[in-house]
Amino acid sequence: MDWKTFQALLSGVNKYSTAFGRIWLSVVFVFRVLVYVVAAERVWGDDQRDFDCNTKQPGCTNACYDHYFPISHIRLWALQLIFVTCPSLLVVMHVAYREDRERKNRSKNGENCTKLYQDTGKKHGGLWWTYLLSLFFKAVTEVAFLYVLHRLWNSFDLPLLVKCVDISPCPNTVDCYIARPSEKRTFTYFMVGASAVCTLLCVCEICYLIAKRIFRCIQKRKNRQCNSVTYSKASTCQCHAKLEQISLSPMNKKAESARASAPNLTLL
């Protein structure tokens, strides 16, 4: 995938995101993707070649490297970026599905037909749930990859010296040295911090969407109550107006005059 295609996808995601989503996208693109492409790949490009052990036993260096690095940092981060950015594309696909339905509806019923959606990009109905589930998936993925990184390398640490104990075909205990551990540790902390910030932004966006949805539901309920009260008042006023019309009719006036002239007689 070239940069233009990737930029087009990012702009499509940014179009339907909230303010938190736009900040998240900027952090992912600037502080993770660019750092990964420009710097991180070069830092970890010689990790296996410069992994030195104090033995000449054939296969021991590869065995120690595989034991301490079951998966490279750079490949783990590549998987993380793929899994984190894919849910955002689901939102774009859902909007494209809505636009396709709207297009088919116009071609079938004419240009002046009733729209299926007021705004195909507005987060209502199924699109709201797609957006919310994508946020949950991104947050869970970030936490899962951070946990894997923490478990594989103790607290994200990369020491200068690692000891290979009882690893075949190494004889006894073998000391191995990692190339540029301080620089790799710095980049690891930076990527972990960026991942933590993205997780926090996802959680904030989830809370924002849910709070906004609850507030909107409360507003709709209040509006319904106000409309019902207004309707009841209007119906009561109409009843009073009808009673006044009946009381002011000519028959009622004659009855009142008869009562006034002969108050002791009973009208049959």
Side-chain angles (χ1 to χ4, degrees):
M1 180 184 296
D2 58 353
W3 284 106
K4 291 184 179 180
T5 306
F6 189 70
Q7 185 180 3
L9 290 174
L10 289 180
S11 62
V13 174
N14 196 25
K15 183 179 179 181
Y16 308 112
S17 300
T18 62
F20 290 105
R22 294 186 182 96
I23 297 173
W24 176 87
L25 196 61
S26 300
V27 172
V28 168
F29 184 71
V30 176
F31 295 101
R32 297 179 72 176
V33 175
L34 287 182
V35 171
Y36 173 86
V37 173
V38 174
E41 283 187 330
R42 297 181 181 179
V43 173
W44 266 269
D46 57 353
D47 53 350
Q48 187 174 6
R49 184 177 66 251
D50 295 338
F51 188 78
D52 286 335
C53 298
N54 60 352
T55 182
K56 296 298 182 180
Q57 179 71 24
C60 179
T61 301
N62 290 335
C64 289
Y65 180 85
D66 183 70
H67 175 74
Y68 194 76
F69 292 97
I71 183 172
S72 175
H73 285 68
I74 207 72
R75 294 177 179 86
L76 187 66
W77 288 332
L79 287 175
Q80 185 178 6
L81 288 173
I82 291 171
F83 277 99
V84 165
T85 52
C86 279
S88 299
L89 300 179
L90 292 177
V91 179
V92 179
M93 293 171 63
H94 196 145
V95 174
Y97 167 74
R98 282 186 166 189
E99 292 175 349
D100 184 63
R101 284 194 64 192
E102 197 70 50
R103 194 181 307 111
K104 289 180 179 178
N105 181 48
R106 287 197 303 268
S107 63
K108 182 179 180 180
N109 301 319
E111 292 294 332
N112 298 325
C113 64
T114 305
K115 291 185 177 181
L116 298 176
Y117 308 98
Q118 293 181 355
D119 186 0
T120 55
K122 199 168 186 180
K123 290 181 284 294
H124 284 305
L127 184 59
W128 187 86
W129 284 105
T130 301
Y131 195 89
L132 187 67
L133 291 176
S134 69
L135 292 176
F136 273 109
F137 185 82
K138 287 190 288 188
V140 172
T141 303
E142 295 278 17
V143 173
F145 273 93
L146 287 177
Y147 177 75
V148 169
L149 194 65
H150 170 74
R151 291 289 296 176
L152 291 179
W153 298 280
N154 188 19
S155 300
F156 316 111
D157 189 27
L158 285 173
L160 174 63
L161 173 66
V162 294
K163 293 182 177 293
C164 298
V165 183
D166 297 333
I167 297 177
S168 180
C170 298
N172 300 322
T173 301
V174 176
D175 295 336
C176 295
Y177 298 90
I178 300 175
R180 294 184 289 184
S182 299
E183 187 176 12
K184 292 178 180 179
R185 189 185 305 116
T186 301
F187 272 98
T188 301
Y189 288 155
F190 180 84
M191 295 296 283
V192 168
S195 180
V197 171
C198 290
T199 305
L200 181 62
L201 288 172
C202 287
V203 173
C204 291
E205 192 170 8
I206 289 171
C207 296
Y208 168 75
L209 286 176
I210 294 176
K212 188 177 180 180
R213 185 67 175 267
I214 292 174
F215 178 76
R216 188 174 296 166
C217 291
I218 293 173
Q219 287 294 112
K220 286 183 178 179
R221 185 173 296 179
K222 287 183 179 179
N223 292 334
R224 288 175 184 174
Q225 291 177 355
C226 291
N227 292 333
S228 62
V229 171
T230 305
Y231 177 77
S232 62
K233 288 182 178 180
S235 60
T236 305
C237 293
Q238 289 178 1
C239 291
H240 284 300
K242 289 182 179 179
L243 289 175
E244 289 179 358
Q245 289 177 359
I246 293 172
S247 63
L248 294 176
S249 63
M251 293 297 295
N252 288 334
K253 288 183 179 180
K254 290 181 180 179
E256 289 178 359
S257 61
R259 289 195 190 97
S261 60
N264 294 327
L265 296 177
T266 303
L267 293 175
L268 298 176

